[in-house]
Amino acid sequence: MSVSKSICNARSDDALEQAMSSVASAISDASRVSILCALMDGRAWTATELSAVAGITASTTSGHLARLLNNGLIRCLSQGRHRYYSLAGPQIAGLLENLMSVSMSPPTPPASRTPQHLRYARTCYDHLAGELAVEIYQLMQQEQWLEADGSMLTAAGKSRLQSLGCALDPRPRRRACCPCLDWSERRFHLGGDAGAALMTLFLQKAWIERIQGYREVKVTSSGKIALRRHFHLNVC
């Protein structure tokens, strides 16, 4: 390897390390973490709403949002006089979920640290998370709807999801399917385009409904029947 190429690689490594440090620094503030966690429900929030969630002033919120925007963690959409903020993408939600998992102290059981209503069913950006999502993922593995590493749907898996009414994108701009580590269960649930399509289906068929204000979702009466029928799950 030439000296010039070695120097170039070293500079590239330095740039990556600096970028990683900048992202880590952006997440290091508790108020910014509160904002990011609120945005993990997959919806867009106004600065006023995020200010209330984080318990900080509007001017302070503005500074935090600018920091998160500059580091590519969130995006902003303007509609008329209003500006709405959301996570920059599912990869950011995955990063936050993994950080939650790492941050929970090992000696303490997850159940004692996570409210039961959030532990059972919640959103992880645009897909389902919690005990329910983990159970669905396990069934998909057992029924071989997924490849062994969870990176792709099998032909049978695509057929089954489409028969339920899932609108799978044949050319997704993101990963078609991936395992996403669930921070409360410490096991995987379904992420990627397939995970988003499945949650969209559940919402469209009213098998689940969002609980206003945070990430919790509730399984409806028709949802309990559907989960028993299609996924062999008994929901109390």
Side-chain angles (χ1 to χ4, degrees):
M1 182 182 294
S2 66
V3 174
S4 60
K5 189 173 182 180
S6 297
I7 293 174
C8 182
N9 288 340
R11 288 175 178 172
S12 178
D13 289 342
D14 288 345
L16 176 60
E17 290 168 358
Q18 290 174 3
M20 291 174 65
S21 176
S22 179
V23 170
S25 178
I27 300 176
S28 67
D29 182 88
S31 294
R32 290 195 288 272
V33 169
S34 295
I35 290 171
L36 291 170
C37 287
L39 295 177
M40 283 184 70
D41 71 352
R43 290 175 285 191
W45 293 52
T46 66
T48 300
E49 291 169 332
L50 293 171
S51 175
V53 166
I56 53 180
T57 64
S59 59
T60 302
T61 301
S62 178
H64 285 318
L65 290 173
R67 182 78 175 273
L68 295 172
L69 280 166
N70 290 337
N71 283 275
L73 294 168
I74 64 173
R75 58 190 170 200
C76 178
L77 173 66
S78 297
Q79 289 190 348
R81 295 179 300 170
H82 300 287
R83 303 181 75 189
Y84 296 90
Y85 298 88
S86 63
L87 291 185
Q91 75 279 10
I92 305 301
L95 171 66
L96 294 171
E97 284 263 321
N98 288 337
L99 183 59
M100 289 175 183
S101 178
V102 172
S103 301
M104 295 175 68
S105 56
T108 307
S112 66
R113 297 286 299 274
T114 309
Q116 182 59 34
H117 62 283
L118 281 178
R119 183 177 180 185
Y120 183 69
R122 64 181 184 275
T123 58
C124 175
Y125 188 59
D126 60 359
H127 56 270
L128 282 173
E131 183 181 337
L132 174 62
V134 167
E135 290 178 345
I136 291 174
Y137 188 80
Q138 288 179 323
L139 176 128
M140 295 179 73
Q141 288 181 310
Q142 293 167 4
E143 299 292 324
Q144 297 184 342
W145 295 13
L146 299 168
E147 297 291 348
D149 61 357
S151 64
M152 291 182 62
L153 290 169
T154 62
K158 289 180 182 178
S159 177
R160 290 297 298 273
L161 289 180
Q162 288 172 337
S163 69
L164 291 176
C166 273
L168 298 175
D169 189 339
R171 295 181 179 179
R173 290 180 295 177
R174 56 194 285 195
R175 284 186 291 180
C177 178
C178 67
C180 183
L181 182 64
D182 195 283
W183 72 272
S184 63
E185 297 304 303
R186 308 298 181 92
R187 293 175 290 168
F188 293 112
H189 59 247
L190 183 66
D193 183 70
L198 190 63
M199 190 176 87
T200 298
L201 174 73
F202 279 29
L203 288 168
Q204 289 175 342
K205 289 186 174 290
W207 292 349
I208 60 172
E209 57 185 25
R210 292 180 180 272
I211 302 301
Q212 186 176 7
Y214 203 52
R215 299 169 59 197
E216 179 188 358
V217 297
K218 178 183 178 181
V219 180
T220 64
S221 297
S222 61
K224 293 177 182 179
I225 295 172
L227 287 169
R228 188 179 307 113
R229 178 183 177 187
H230 300 296
F231 298 95
H232 316 302
L233 299 178
N234 291 315
V235 181
C236 298

